[in-house]
Amino acid sequence: AEVSGLSGVAVAVLSGHLLDWSRDLARVEQAAAAGFTMSRVAGDIMLDQLVGQPPARSDAGLRQRLLQVLAAAARGIYGAAPDRRFIDTAASTTLAVIQPDQLELAQAGDTRALLVRGNYLVRLHLGETFEGAPAGSAFRNGVAGHLAARALGAPVPVEPAVVTSSLRPGDTLLLCSRGLASLDDRSIFGILAAKPHPADACKALIEAALRARGEHNLTALVARPIDDRPRG
């Protein structure tokens, strides 16, 4: 999903998954398909929330707005849960608002966000930033515990993490699903460095993850800020 507005450009990656794998193969496949449907439900709710409410006017207001968007998506998933087609399904999401010099990110579940600057890579989904700022309540000392258990629709209170990071021209932001976990940080960094065009980078990341036999669904979104400041 992508939304442009006064507060910046919002982008999100979603991933549907199961909460209970202790079932026969036929039921797993059926529930997995429902999980993907559930992620679309969550995405539609997030989109409606982002375009249907006035934009936030402050950084604190924007962070609160992101939490409200994820809470609304979680309520939508809980509302669908009594339907047995969606039993034991959940949706992970990473929602980012890209501003001229700052990135606000809300994280729920096991989707991921990485930011590359120069020769360095930080894992925003684990609370890392170039500034060393503390992350949200889903993290303890910068380490995430059981990310999938904090997905939208999981039987625990919704506790998304919010991370604020600086953003500079030349940075690269990667939002991705768990399937890219088959690639280590060095491999991801090398692909992003070798592929300056975002579409080419996404294609190369997914192809590399497929070669590495990733066990989960694959989604990748790459964004690079454009320096549109006037030059003297």
Side-chain angles (χ1 to χ4, degrees), residues 3 6 8 22-23 36 43 48-49 113 141-143 160 179 191 197 228:
V3 176
L6 297 178
S22 59
R23 61 182 83 206
F36 286 112
D48 289 342
Q49 287 284 312
N141 298 321
V143 178
I191 291 172
H197 193 282
D228 57 359

Side-chain angles (χ1 to χ4, degrees), residues 106-167:
Q107 170 76 29
D110 202 12
T111 47
R112 304 174 182 209
L114 301 96
L115 185 64
V116 172
R117 177 175 300 163
N119 294 322
Y120 297 92
L121 177 151
V122 295
R123 296 165 294 181
L124 298 173
H125 63 285
L126 294 183
E128 301 174 358
T129 67
F130 288 110
E131 296 78 23
S137 60
F139 303 113
R140 301 291 181 266
N141 298 321
V143 178
H146 303 293
L147 286 175
R150 296 182 179 276
L152 305 176
V156 295
V158 179
E159 293 184 16
V162 177
V163 178
T164 301
S165 175
S166 64
L167 197 62

